[in-house]
Amino acid sequence: MKVLIIGGVAGGMSAATRLRRLNEKAEVVVIERGPHVSFANCGLPYHIGGTIEEREKLLLQTPESLHARFNLDVRIQTEALKVNPEEHIVVLKDLRSGKTYEEKYDRLILSPGASPIRPPLPGIEHALTLRNIPDMDRINRHLENSRAEQAVVIGGGFIGLEMAENLVHRGLKVHVVEAGPQVLAPLDPEMAALVQKEVVKQGIKLHLMDALHSIEDQGKRVVLKSGETIPADLIILAIGVKPEVALAKDAGLKLGERGGILESDTLQTSDPDIYAVGDAIEKINLAGEAGLIPLAWSANRQGRLIADHISGRTIHVGHQLGTAIVKVFDLTVATTGLNEKQLQKSGRPFAVVHTHASSHASYYPGAETLSLKLLFNRTTREIYGAQAIGKEGADKRIDVIATAIRGGILADELSDLELAYAPPYSSAKDPVNMLGYMAENLLEGLPTVQWHEVNPEDILLDVRDPHEYTRGHLRGAINIPLNQLRSRHQELPAGPITAYCQVGLRGYLATRLLRQLGHEVRNLDGGYTTFKLGRPDQVTEPVKS
C-alpha cells in the first residue's frame, strides 16, 4: 500500500509516523511545499521575542532524521499542483529544479493547513504574516535591518496578542488594532475585559472597533478606517486564517459552508480514498455545528486517527471542544467548549456562574486571583464550556473542565471531584469545586442575575464593608455590610433587591439570609468584579487625582 501525504507539519507528520508504527511495509511519501517539516510553529513568536533563543530548537525533525527513524520518503520544497482522484495520481513540482512529475497513491491524506487572510487593501504587501519558519526569519531580518521602534499588529486574536507581547519584549512600542469590540473572540466580553486591562497595563495601545484601511508611505504608516494614522516600522497582519482548499476544490471534493473540506466520521472526504486533516477541514463543535478550529491538538489527533483507519482500525472522532490557551504577559487565558455568544446563536438555553477565587490557599504566599466562568444547561446539567484567566492555575482548571465535558460529568458534579490539595497548589475547595457548588445552588432555584441583566429599577444592595464601597460601587447602590444585615434589613425598601459583594460569596450569603427574612432578592453573579468588567460605565468610583 502506498500512502501519499500532502503537508509535513502537525497532522500530516502525525499520520505518517503513526502509519509506520502500524505498518512497516507501507510506502509512505510526505510532500511539503516549504523548506522545513515537523517544526514547532506554535513557538515562532517566542523566538522573535527572544524567549526561545536558539532557532534550531524549533526544528524538531529533518527529512534525513525522519527517514532514518521511520523510513519515510519526505520531500521538502515540493508542491502538489493537482489531484486526479479517478487515476489516483498527484501532480508534483520540485520547486528547486522546476521539474514536474506524477506520483500514484492508494490512499491520499490532505494536510495543507491554512493560510493567513490578506485582504486586498492598498499597501497590504508591506504587512508581514507569521505562519512558518521563513515568515519568522523574514520578521527577524526586518527588525534587525530597520532598527524598528514601533510596530502595529492588525488583529487581536491569539497570534496577534502573542506577537504583540513578544514585540514588547523585543523593546518595541506596539499598537494592536482589532475590528471587533474585544480581543480574543472565543472569550465572552466580561472575560475579555481582563485581558484588555493587562494589554493596556503593559504599554500597548489598543484600538478596538477599528480596522485597517490602507498602508502608506512604503509601509511606514498605517491608516485606520476611523481616519487615525499610526507611524510604523513593522506591520504584522494577524486577522485570521483561511483553510487551504485549492487542491481539494479542483479535485471535486465537497467543501462546507465555512469553506473547509467536508468529511465523514472516519475523516474521509467525499472520495473515500482521500482523507483530510487539520486546519483545512471543518470540525463539529459541541453545538453540533460545523466550524474551523485551527488548533494543534486536533490536527495531531486526527492524523493519528486517519492512520488507524487506513490500517483497518475502528476510530471515533467525536465533537471538538476547541480547548485553547494563550499567554498574555502575566496572564494565562484558557477556554474550552462553547462560549455565551455561540450558545445564544444556537438557541440553547443555558445558565452561567462566575467565580474570582484564589489560585491556591489565600494564606499561602503568592496566591493570585483566578477568574472562572462556567456555562451549562439548567435542565440537563450538561456542561457547555468554560473560560479561565489568571496569573497561575488557569491551565489546570480548564483542563479539568475539558476532561469533565468529555467524560460526561455534570455541572453540579464538579463539586464531587476529588482534586489534589495542599496550600501551595489549591484550596480545600478547589475553584472547580466552587463552580460545582454554585451550579448546585442555581439548580436548586436560588436566583442570580448576570452583569448584563441588572435592572436599574431594582434596589441595589452592596453588602461589602464601607471602605470597599467607597472604592467603587454600582451606581445608586445602598451599602449595608453583611454582618449588619440581620439587624438592619428593615431599612431596605420593598421590591426586588439585587445583592452583591466583591466576587459573589457575601452576596450569596446575603441572598440566603434575606429570602428567609421575607425579602425578594437575588445575587449578582460574580459580584462587583464581574459587573465592572462588563459595564464599567455603570459604576461609581472616586476621581483619581
Side-chain angles (χ1 to χ4, degrees):
M1 179 173 59
K2 182 174 181 178
V3 180
L4 191 61
I5 301 172
I6 309 299
V9 186
M13 198 53 67
S14 177
T17 53
R18 175 67 170 172
L19 274 167
R20 177 58 71 229
R21 293 194 295 274
L22 296 178
N23 189 340
E24 181 60 28
K25 294 182 179 180
E27 183 180 356
V28 182
V29 181
V30 180
I31 304 300
E32 171 55 46
R33 183 171 52 193
H36 304 283
V37 291
S38 193
F39 61 88
N41 52 358
C42 294
L44 301 180
Y46 300 100
H47 177 62
I48 293 171
T51 301
I52 300 172
E53 297 181 1
E54 299 176 31
R55 177 181 181 273
E56 290 69 26
K57 288 190 174 181
L58 299 173
L59 306 175
L60 306 180
Q61 297 284 354
T62 65
E64 294 75 20
S65 67
L66 288 164
H67 183 268
R69 177 164 296 183
F70 296 103
N71 192 27
L72 301 176
D73 180 357
V74 180
R75 306 176 194 177
I76 60 173
Q77 293 185 275
T78 301
E79 184 175 9
L81 300 179
K82 184 178 179 60
V83 175
N84 185 332
E86 291 77 18
E87 298 184 26
H88 284 51
I89 287 175
V90 176
V91 180
L92 303 173
K93 181 179 181 179
D94 187 321
L95 298 177
R96 292 162 293 190
S97 67
K99 177 185 175 183
T100 300
Y101 62 99
E102 294 181 347
E103 198 76 43
K104 289 190 70 67
Y105 67 85
D106 296 306
R107 299 289 188 274
L108 176 65
I109 301 174
L110 298 178
S111 182
S115 59
I117 296 171
R118 296 186 70 94
L121 298 174
I124 197 68
E125 67 274 9
H126 296 291
L128 301 180
T129 57
L130 181 63
R131 192 68 180 167
N132 51 36
I133 296 287
D135 289 343
M136 180 189 74
D137 292 339
R138 195 175 298 115
I139 292 171
N140 274 332
R141 284 196 303 270
H142 184 94
L143 286 168
E144 292 162 4
N145 295 336
S146 68
R147 297 181 182 178
E149 295 181 357
Q150 181 157 293
V152 177
V153 177
I154 310 296
F158 286 81
I159 298 298
L161 292 190
E162 285 179 339
M163 276 304 303
E165 175 181 350
N166 281 283
L167 291 172
V168 168
H169 292 331
R170 189 84 179 237
L172 277 72
K173 181 179 178 182
V174 178
H175 294 249
V176 172
V177 179
E178 169 54 50
Q182 66 173 73
V183 300
L184 297 179
L187 297 178
D188 288 318
E190 78 280 18
M191 300 297 282
L194 285 166
V195 183
Q196 288 156 196
K197 285 178 62 178
E198 177 69 11
V199 166
V200 172
K201 173 186 169 186
Q202 296 292 342
I204 290 176
K205 180 67 181 298
L206 190 57
H207 306 259
L208 296 176
M209 298 296 289
D210 210 343
L212 177 65
H213 176 269
S214 61
I215 299 173
E216 300 179 354
D217 195 17
Q218 296 298 305
K220 293 294 184 182
R221 187 169 71 245
V222 170
V223 180
L224 303 183
K225 286 189 176 179
S226 64
E228 183 176 357
T229 63
I230 308 171
D233 302 308
L234 172 69
I235 303 165
I236 300 293
L237 188 63
I239 60 174
V241 296
K242 58 183 179 181
E244 291 260 20
V245 296
L247 276 176
K249 186 176 181 181
D250 290 345
L253 303 181
K254 291 183 180 179
L255 304 182
E257 293 182 2
R258 301 294 302 275
I261 302 170
L262 277 179
E263 52 188 16
S264 67
D265 291 339
T266 52
L267 296 170
Q268 291 165 289
T269 68
S270 51
D271 183 317
D273 288 336
I274 302 178
Y275 295 77
V277 62
D279 296 357
I281 71 173
E282 294 197 357
K283 308 172 182 74
I284 305 300
N285 65 18
L286 278 181
E289 299 170 343
L292 302 173
I293 307 176
L295 295 171
W297 178 88
S298 56
N300 280 281
R301 176 62 178 156
Q302 291 155 3
R304 179 185 173 97
L305 290 173
I306 286 174
D308 284 356
H309 192 260
I310 290 174
S311 301
R313 299 187 173 204
T314 300
I315 66 172
H316 174 69
V317 177
H319 293 161
Q320 300 291 296
L321 299 185
T323 305
I325 192 166
V326 63
K327 176 182 177 296
V328 183
F329 293 99
D330 292 335
L331 292 182
T332 298
V333 183
T335 178
T336 189
L338 302 173
N339 59 33
E340 195 164 337
K341 293 168 286 189
Q342 291 171 309
L343 288 167
Q344 289 170 344
K345 182 180 177 183
S346 71
R348 281 172 163 75
F350 63 93
V352 175
V353 290
H354 295 82
T355 183
H356 303 278
S358 292
S359 56
H360 59 249
S362 58
Y363 58 81
Y364 186 89
E368 299 284 355
T369 298
L370 176 62
S371 297
L372 289 165
K373 177 176 183 176
L374 184 74
L375 302 106
F376 59 97
N377 186 300
R378 192 189 293 263
T379 302
T380 67
R381 299 145 62 207
E382 172 190 3
I383 300 173
Y384 285 138
Q387 297 158 43
I389 301 175
K391 290 186 177 181
E392 66 169 39
D395 52 344
K396 169 185 174 180
R397 274 63 182 215
I398 215 69
D399 283 344
V400 168
I401 297 173
T403 304
I405 295 173
R406 182 62 68 198
I409 293 172
L410 303 177
D412 52 313
E413 291 176 339
L414 293 176
S415 58
D416 290 326
L417 294 181
E418 189 175 344
L419 303 174
Y421 161 62
Y425 304 105
S426 183
S427 299
K429 294 179 183 177
D430 188 86
V432 172
N433 296 140
M434 292 304 301
L435 289 174
Y437 288 122
M438 295 169 72
E440 183 180 308
N441 289 332
L442 205 62
L443 293 167
E444 287 177 355
L446 190 73
T448 63
V449 60
Q450 293 300 313
W451 60 271
H452 54 84
E453 297 172 333
V454 173
N455 188 341
E457 303 303 316
D458 283 358
I459 300 160
L460 302 177
L461 172 63
D462 189 321
V463 299
R464 298 174 298 165
D465 293 336
H467 70 276
E468 296 174 278
Y469 177 85
T470 57
R471 288 202 299 261
H473 54 268
L474 273 64
R475 193 170 297 164
I478 302 167
N479 180 219
I480 302 178
L482 176 63
N483 291 351
Q484 300 177 20
L485 204 51
R486 282 185 180 83
S487 59
R488 295 179 57 189
H489 74 94
Q490 298 92 341
E491 298 175 23
L492 292 169
I497 298 171
T498 295
Y500 76 90
C501 62
Q502 192 66 23
V503 299
L505 176 57
R506 285 173 289 174
Y508 158 71
L509 297 174
T511 300
R512 287 281 194 191
L513 171 62
L514 290 174
R515 284 172 64 83
Q516 294 181 66
L517 295 175
H519 295 275
E520 182 184 351
V521 61
R522 56 187 183 173
N523 183 30
L524 175 58
D525 179 60
Y528 178 76
T529 299
T530 300
F531 185 89
K532 183 182 174 183
L533 290 169
R535 298 174 69 178
D537 58 319
Q538 295 297 313
V539 302
T540 299
E541 293 184 306
V543 178
K544 296 180 180 179
S545 57

